[in-house]
Amino acid sequence: MYVIIWSMGFSICLSLMMMVMCTMISKTSKSDREKASPFECGFDPKSSARSPFSIQFFLIAVLFLIFDIEIAIILPIMLTMKWIMNKMWILTVTAFLTILILGLYHEWKNGVLEWAK
């Protein structure tokens, strides 16, 4: 019992000493111009790294993630189909697929899926 307590105390003391030494040894600067500037393979950047991105690309990426997660939800539904075929299961699957299709239809009608306008 004493060995466990001694080893826990030793490991805590050792980790605290290492953290204190690391904070004392490391030198930090509040603001460094080189660290704050964008890095492009050692060259000066040709354009601003803070340039805005296409919101259309972002929306399509979010739609991809949503449909990717829903595929992960649909796969177990298909695997359980041979064991469970009751009214509640059918109602749940139908509601899930209806919401999925209505969401896709809504995005399509709002023009999110059109890349060029």
Side-chain angles (χ1 to χ4, degrees), residues 52-70:
F53 61 94
S54 171
I55 194 71
Q56 196 70 24
F57 177 76
F58 176 73
L59 289 174
I60 288 181
V62 168
L63 279 174
F64 171 76
L65 286 175
I66 290 171
F67 282 104
D68 193 37
I69 291 170
E70 288 175 357

Side-chain angles (χ1 to χ4, degrees), residues 9-22:
F10 180 73
S11 62
I12 289 172
C13 288
L14 184 64
S15 62
L16 286 174
M17 284 189 334
M18 290 179 68
M19 285 192 288
V20 168
M21 286 176 56
C22 285

Side-chain angles (χ1 to χ4, degrees), residues 48-116:
S48 174
R50 308 289 189 256
S51 62
F53 61 94
S54 171
I55 194 71
Q56 196 70 24
F57 177 76
F58 176 73
L59 289 174
I60 288 181
V62 168
L63 279 174
F64 171 76
L65 286 175
I66 290 171
F67 282 104
D68 193 37
I69 291 170
E70 288 175 357
I71 290 295
I73 293 172
I74 288 175
L75 283 176
I77 288 174
M78 295 304 136
L79 292 175
T80 61
M81 190 166 65
K82 83 168 99 163
W83 294 295
I84 304 170
M85 280 297 281
N86 57 16
K87 290 181 184 178
M88 190 64 183
W89 184 88
I90 293 172
L91 182 67
T92 305
V93 171
T94 305
F96 178 74
L97 291 176
T98 303
I99 291 170
L100 179 65
I101 290 170
L102 287 175
L104 179 63
Y105 179 74
H106 176 70
E107 297 293 332
W108 190 2
K109 286 306 250 183
N110 284 340
V112 173
L113 300 177
E114 296 175 13
W115 188 260

Side-chain angles (χ1 to χ4, degrees), residues 1-10:
M1 183 70 173
Y2 291 116
V3 174
I4 294 173
I5 294 172
W6 183 81
S7 62
M8 284 176 45
F10 180 73

